[in-house]
Amino acid sequence: RRNGGDMTNTTRARYTFEFKEEAVRLVKSGERQATVAKNLGLSEQTLRNWIKASEKGPLKGQGCSTLMA
């Protein structure tokens, strides 16, 4: 990075509730986490976080559309 590793200029991707829910559903139906993450353009850690969050309660998401950074 030009900023010496400073991540303040990084824009985070925002995903809808439906997108997160579908990603988690795919894993829970037997798809491998790595495969789902790759197919959806996510990091495996992001997907793991969503799975963990879904086990604690309903997922949260942005409005109606998926925004990719």
Side-chain angles (χ1 to χ4, degrees):
R1 293 195 189 279
R2 286 186 178 182
N3 296 345
D6 182 11
M7 295 183 68
T8 57
N9 293 335
T10 302
T11 302
R12 292 178 58 198
R14 295 182 185 182
Y15 302 97
T16 63
F17 164 77
E18 292 82 6
F19 185 85
K20 292 177 180 183
E21 191 175 55
E22 179 64 11
V24 170
R25 188 194 65 74
L26 288 169
V27 173
K28 289 187 174 182
S29 71
E31 293 284 331
R32 293 184 61 229
Q33 282 185 28
T35 302
V36 172
K38 183 177 180 183
N39 289 344
L40 297 178
L42 302 168
S43 73
E44 288 184 57
Q45 184 61 54
T46 295
L47 183 53
R48 275 193 295 273
N49 292 345
W50 294 350
I51 293 166
K52 193 174 180 180
S54 75
E55 292 167 355
K56 293 180 179 180
L59 290 170
K60 296 176 181 153
Q62 295 293 318
C64 296
S65 61
T66 302
L67 304 175
M68 301 278 207

